[in-house]
Amino acid sequence: MQPSPITEKPQPPAPNECCESGCDPCVWDIYRAALQQWEQAQQDANTDTTKPAAQT
């Protein structure tokens, strides 16, 4: 059984959450990584539903 996709799309950081001092990782880096993970999970979920059922 595959894990269910992340259904809630990550929200970008609020304007006051980035201090613009070059943090590593920045809240924007964390957001982009979470967004990529969410997009991949959505794509994987859509791919799984379009595959034909296995023949036995």
Side-chain angles (χ1 to χ4, degrees):
M1 180 180 216
Q2 293 216 300
S4 60
I6 302 167
T7 55
E8 212 172 299
K9 186 175 182 179
Q11 296 299 308
N16 65 335
E17 289 184 296
C18 178
C19 64
E20 298 192 24
S21 64
C23 298
D24 187 21
C26 174
V27 293
W28 283 102
D29 296 330
I30 296 167
Y31 165 69
R32 281 190 286 274
L35 185 60
Q36 277 187 322
Q37 186 178 21
W38 179 83
E39 288 172 342
Q40 186 63 52
Q42 299 309 306
Q43 187 176 32
D44 291 348
N46 289 336
T47 301
D48 288 345
T49 60
T50 59
K51 288 182 184 176
Q55 299 280 329
T56 56

